[in-house]
Amino acid sequence: MTAESKAAKPSLPPSPPLTERQEARRRRILHTSARLAGRGGFDAVQMREVAESSGVALGTLYRYFPSKVHLLVATMQDQLQHMHETLRKRPPSEQDPGARVAQTLMRAFRALQREPHLADAMVRALTFADRSVSPEVDTVSRLTTAIILDAMAPPPTSRHPAQEPPHPARSATPEQLSAVRVIEHTWHSALITWLSGRASIAQVKIDIETVCRLIDITTPDPGPEAGAESEPGTRTGATKPRGR
């Protein structure tokens, strides 16, 4: 969508928040979607069966999710939210930011590996999504970015007890945010190639670990205030590749 078309399109008012009852109904629908997809993949998710199993009218289901693609993209959003909560409770143990991101993404990948039919259904929905599903797809992308940025933050053991962890989105440099986007694309592509049988888990791990080195390459060197001496001819705070 061009900038002109975005400007010409009037912005829609935000949807009112769901009531407690509506939120419970939505959660039942998402749970049913995940269960059916986990049992038989994309084709097993039929809107009429989802409605019946969730205890809602078919028309009500379509008010929440206008199509199966909307429903499955929302299901992926829900799965990522649960994954994010789990990863926050058990943050990565590696010291280097790139290694922490790789460890986190491989844990997320293995979680999807345990439910291959569900993973395939959600990825196919993302592939089929058109502009009408853009808000849901954008949310999935933001969640993936948040997972990566959280993984980049220093582990608690490397911080002073009184030191608050930096906000990942505010502390990331433009170069790091660019690296995050490349990592997202690679992770998504690796998931597709594995689901299609064109890549092994070992190859996926190699690809993820390789692309995550971009985080270390784009991480600025600590300044003098961090106790680091600047190398001759090197500007303080300049970005340079780090050896492994």
Side-chain angles (χ1 to χ4, degrees), residues 30-54 72 75 79 112 114-122 124:
L30 291 174
H31 177 76
T32 300
S33 170
R35 179 173 56 81
L36 292 175
R39 189 174 68 191
F42 185 86
D43 293 335
V45 181
Q46 300 297 320
M47 296 297 272
R48 185 172 297 279
E49 185 175 358
V50 171
E52 291 174 355
S53 298
S54 304
L72 283 169
T75 301
Q79 294 291 313
L112 293 172
R114 290 192 288 270
E115 295 271 10
H117 291 305
L118 174 59
D120 181 67
M122 296 187 299
R124 285 179 66 182

Side-chain angles (χ1 to χ4, degrees), residues 81-163:
Q81 285 174 334
H82 285 300
M83 203 178 293
H84 196 187
E85 292 168 5
T86 301
L87 291 169
R88 278 179 165 174
K89 291 175 183 175
R90 289 198 307 118
S93 57
E94 299 286 349
Q95 290 300 309
D96 291 335
R100 287 198 298 274
V101 173
Q103 183 183 14
T104 296
L105 291 181
M106 285 309 300
R107 282 168 58 186
F109 189 89
R110 290 189 183 98
L112 293 172
Q113 184 187 3
R114 290 192 288 270
E115 295 271 10
H117 291 305
L118 174 59
D120 181 67
M122 296 187 299
V123 169
R124 285 179 66 182
L126 281 176
T127 304
F128 296 153
D130 58 19
R131 290 184 179 183
S132 70
V133 201
S134 291
E136 291 82 0
V137 173
D138 289 344
T139 300
V140 167
S141 179
R142 284 194 300 271
L143 277 169
T144 308
T145 299
I147 289 172
I148 295 173
L149 289 174
D150 276 0
M152 286 167 54
T157 54
S158 69
R159 298 194 303 261
H160 188 277
Q163 181 183 0

Side-chain angles (χ1 to χ4, degrees), residues 119-239:
D120 181 67
M122 296 187 299
V123 169
R124 285 179 66 182
L126 281 176
T127 304
F128 296 153
D130 58 19
R131 290 184 179 183
S132 70
V133 201
S134 291
E136 291 82 0
V137 173
D138 289 344
T139 300
V140 167
S141 179
R142 284 194 300 271
L143 277 169
T144 308
T145 299
I147 289 172
I148 295 173
L149 289 174
D150 276 0
M152 286 167 54
T157 54
S158 69
R159 298 194 303 261
H160 188 277
Q163 181 183 0
E164 287 293 328
H167 188 283
R170 287 198 294 266
S171 60
T173 66
E175 291 80 8
Q176 285 176 316
L177 292 176
S178 180
V180 167
R181 288 191 292 271
V182 175
I183 291 169
E184 282 186 53
H185 296 322
T186 303
W187 187 73
H188 185 251
S189 176
L191 185 57
I192 291 174
T193 54
W194 172 73
L195 287 168
S196 63
R198 292 182 287 120
S200 65
I201 299 296
Q203 185 60 56
V204 167
K205 187 173 186 290
I206 291 171
D207 291 349
I208 294 298
E209 290 176 345
T210 299
V211 75
C212 285
R213 290 176 189 154
L214 288 173
I215 295 295
D216 298 323
I217 292 173
T218 56
T219 297
D221 289 330
E225 67 277 3
E229 293 293 335
S230 299
E231 294 183 6
T234 303
R235 290 185 297 108
T236 300
T239 301

Side-chain angles (χ1 to χ4, degrees), residues 4-20:
E4 292 80 2
S5 60
K6 285 183 179 178
K9 185 177 181 180
S11 58
L12 297 175
S15 300
L18 297 178
T19 65
E20 185 176 340

